[in-house]
Amino acid sequence: SLLAWAVGLLPFKDTFLTNSKTPQTGAANPGPEQSADLHALVSVLSGGMVGPGDGPGMANKTLITQTCMSDGNLLKPDHPALPIDAAWSTKRDPGGELLWTGTSLGTGDASWDFRYVLAAALERDYWLRPEDIHLPKSPE
């Protein structure tokens, strides 16, 4: 997603099965999907399309509707989820996936900034610092 975003594109995570309980007839990948909730979250945090790939009549409608607003518009951050800077360091890399993204709502004094962090399959403990997700340092 880092390269795609750098050249003005939104990444596409790929399709996933939303129904993780049973194998599916008619799906390109019959499954079952081991982590449907995680795949849905990663799709939303990518900022690109959400691609459920379930066979006919097999979709988990509840999970799919959690990826969008009631009017059908996809939930999207301001930029795709990116690895924290420490992922590029041999000293602080936690292993696994530690990504962040953000959304700003409103303008001026009525502006709110939100950060979202996804940690999956980390190989070791990691102390997340405000600067890891581009927040100002806390006063000492």
Side-chain angles (χ1 to χ4, degrees), residues 13-65:
K13 179 226 155 285
D14 204 355
T15 61
F16 63 98
L17 302 179
T18 62
N19 187 338
S20 60
K21 295 180 174 57
T22 57
Q24 297 187 20
T25 303
N29 170 9
E33 191 75 75
Q34 297 302 311
S35 304
D37 291 339
L38 179 60
H39 284 278
L41 178 60
V42 170
S43 289
V44 168
L45 294 180
S46 76
M49 299 179 291
V50 173
D54 300 278
M58 297 294 294
N60 177 338
K61 293 175 189 169
T62 301
L63 182 58
I64 293 171
T65 57

Side-chain angles (χ1 to χ4, degrees), residues 43-48 50 65-69 72-77:
S43 289
V44 168
L45 294 180
S46 76
V50 173
T65 57
Q66 290 174 346
T67 66
C68 60
M69 295 184 283
N73 283 316
L74 290 177
L75 297 171
K76 290 185 175 206

